[in-house]
Each structure stands twice: as structure tokens, then as C-alpha cells.
Amino acid sequence: MTQQEIADITGIKPSNMARFESGGRVPTLVVLEKYANALGKHIEIKICDD
């Protein structure tokens, strides 16, 4: 998928998507969730004892 296609699905601006993908911006959990959903994936968070 292109950044524009993902931006269209998620509602995230393409410029913000580019910053996220290049590592220039740290995304929030909400943004990660939208991004994952656009790719047909999900976010799983685990809190584990070492």
C-alpha cells in the first residue's frame, strides 16, 4: 500500500504518515492502531514479569 492509500483509510495526513514511517515522529497508540487496522493487523500489548 502507498502512504496515500493508508492515509485515506486511516484519516492520518500523508505527511504525518511519512514522519511516522521514517522514525521522525513517535506515534501514539491510537495512531498505531489505525495503521495496523489499515494493514489488516492488530496491536497486542502484554505486560509480563521478567
Side-chain angles (χ1 to χ4, degrees), residues 2-48:
T2 66
Q3 287 178 344
Q4 184 61 56
E5 290 171 327
I6 294 172
D8 291 342
I9 292 169
T10 61
I12 299 167
K13 292 181 181 180
S15 58
N16 289 338
M17 188 65 61
R19 286 188 204 104
F20 162 56
E21 289 183 351
S22 70
R25 181 177 211 165
V26 178
T28 65
L29 184 54
V30 171
V31 169
L32 284 176
E33 209 168 28
K34 288 180 181 181
Y35 189 79
N37 288 336
L39 299 175
K41 305 295 181 185
H42 69 275
I43 301 291
E44 185 174 311
I45 298 173
K46 293 182 180 183
I47 299 174
C48 305

